[in-house]
Amino acid sequence: MNKLKFFSIILLTAAMVYVWGCGDDTTTGNNNGGGTVPTLNMQVGAIYAFNVDSLPTSGGFTQTRLKSYNTYLSQGTYFGQSNAFQILTETRDTVANSSLGTDTFYVRYDGGKFYQYGMLQLISPTIPASWDLVADFNVSQGTAFTIASDVDIVIGSITAKANITGKIAADTTFNTAGWGNVGINCYRSEIAAVISISGLPIGTVYVDYYIGDADPTTNPSGMVRVKLRPVNLTVYTSAGVDQSFLRRLN
């Protein structure tokens, strides 16, 4: 599982878009399933900084010297879908003041649904990239929606299957760490991948994807935090990663 690449991409981890003003993409969609559909505003040119922390399997978190920076390059048609955002992400070592690499990722918000291209590769890089559903706000809070079923993944030399669902788990707030202790309003989409080998479950991989809305208008919209929880499968364990919104740079 290439966690660092995903978090330097996204996200992810990411769908990660924040927006104010002109050139924006404002969508409210419908909510026939009883959900609350937020307004997201996304803007080309925005730059956002994130803290990157490690989540040990023993619990708690460990601060790292890494930060990631997302720049929203353009809005257009990507991988067959219009009104998508192309985002350049860079991960930096803040002690050595050096870049560890750059990449691009893509997000879109349409009809109350938030997508990221290749988001499921956080769970396993062997999953083919596609427009993956991250959050469906048309569905009532706490009700599961299907993301992917019977997906092949590879864990070391073992081929397994994953059934992946999501749910809007909470309408919540978290505080930025290290920059003003500002409260960020968001929805937490809990993505769960139940992993099995030959039909026998071996554990579940969880990704928490936090999506901010434009309420109030100063609140960053789009992906404001992505957390890959520590992985504890019967055949594989790994620390998790928490990429959390720090501040806007422009």
Side-chain angles (χ1 to χ4, degrees):
M1 296 182 183
N2 192 341
K3 297 185 294 297
L4 180 58
K5 180 179 179 183
F6 181 84
F7 280 95
S8 73
I9 293 176
I10 59 197
L11 141 41
L12 221 58
T13 171
M16 312 177 167
V17 178
Y18 315 88
V19 233
W20 288 263
C22 63
D24 68 355
D25 177 15
T26 301
T27 309
T28 55
N30 57 52
N31 62 346
N32 294 331
T36 300
V37 178
T39 297
L40 306 187
N41 298 318
M42 299 180 274
Q43 186 182 59
V44 172
I47 303 174
Y48 295 86
F50 294 83
N51 284 325
V52 180
D53 295 321
S54 176
L55 303 176
T57 56
S58 58
F61 73 97
T62 301
Q63 293 180 333
T64 75
R65 52 200 279 178
L66 305 180
K67 284 185 170 49
S68 60
Y69 302 87
N70 292 343
T71 301
Y72 306 96
L73 296 178
S74 61
Q75 180 181 7
T77 299
Y78 296 99
F79 306 104
Q81 296 296 328
S82 60
N83 294 319
F85 284 79
Q86 180 189 50
I87 302 169
L88 173 70
T89 186
E90 179 185 22
T91 299
R92 296 191 63 86
D93 181 330
T94 58
V95 175
N97 193 28
S98 62
S99 176
L100 300 180
T102 61
D103 214 323
T104 55
F105 69 96
Y106 304 83
V107 299
R108 54 185 287 262
Y109 184 57
D110 180 59
K113 297 180 180 181
F114 193 87
Y115 301 85
Q116 180 174 318
Y117 189 79
M119 182 275 297
L120 292 183
Q121 292 182 341
L122 173 59
I123 295 170
S124 172
T126 63
I127 298 176
S130 64
W131 280 109
D132 298 324
L133 179 63
V134 173
D136 186 351
F137 292 103
N138 300 296
V139 178
S140 60
Q141 184 170 307
T143 300
F145 51 84
T146 298
I147 297 175
S149 300
D150 208 30
V151 177
D152 288 325
I153 66 172
V154 177
I155 305 172
S157 60
I158 301 172
T159 299
K161 294 283 188 179
N163 288 310
I164 305 168
T165 60
K167 65 180 178 181
I168 306 301
D171 180 356
T172 186
T173 300
F174 70 89
N175 290 333
T176 59
W179 189 264
N181 199 33
V182 176
I184 305 298
N185 301 325
C186 54
Y187 294 86
R188 179 171 67 88
S189 179
E190 181 182 285
I191 298 168
V194 178
I195 313 296
S196 62
I197 298 174
S198 301
L200 299 176
I202 62 169
T204 304
V205 177
Y206 291 97
V207 178
D208 295 305
Y209 207 115
Y210 296 75
I211 301 173
D213 64 358
D215 184 16
T217 57
T218 54
N219 193 67
S221 289
M223 199 291 295
V224 291
R225 187 175 191 175
V226 176
K227 181 188 297 184
L228 171 64
R229 300 184 202 174
V231 177
N232 289 290
L233 305 177
T234 57
V235 298
Y236 178 84
T237 61
S238 175
V241 181
D242 186 0
Q243 177 175 289
S244 182
F245 182 83
L246 176 62
R247 62 186 176 113
R248 182 173 178 171
L249 298 180
N250 67 342

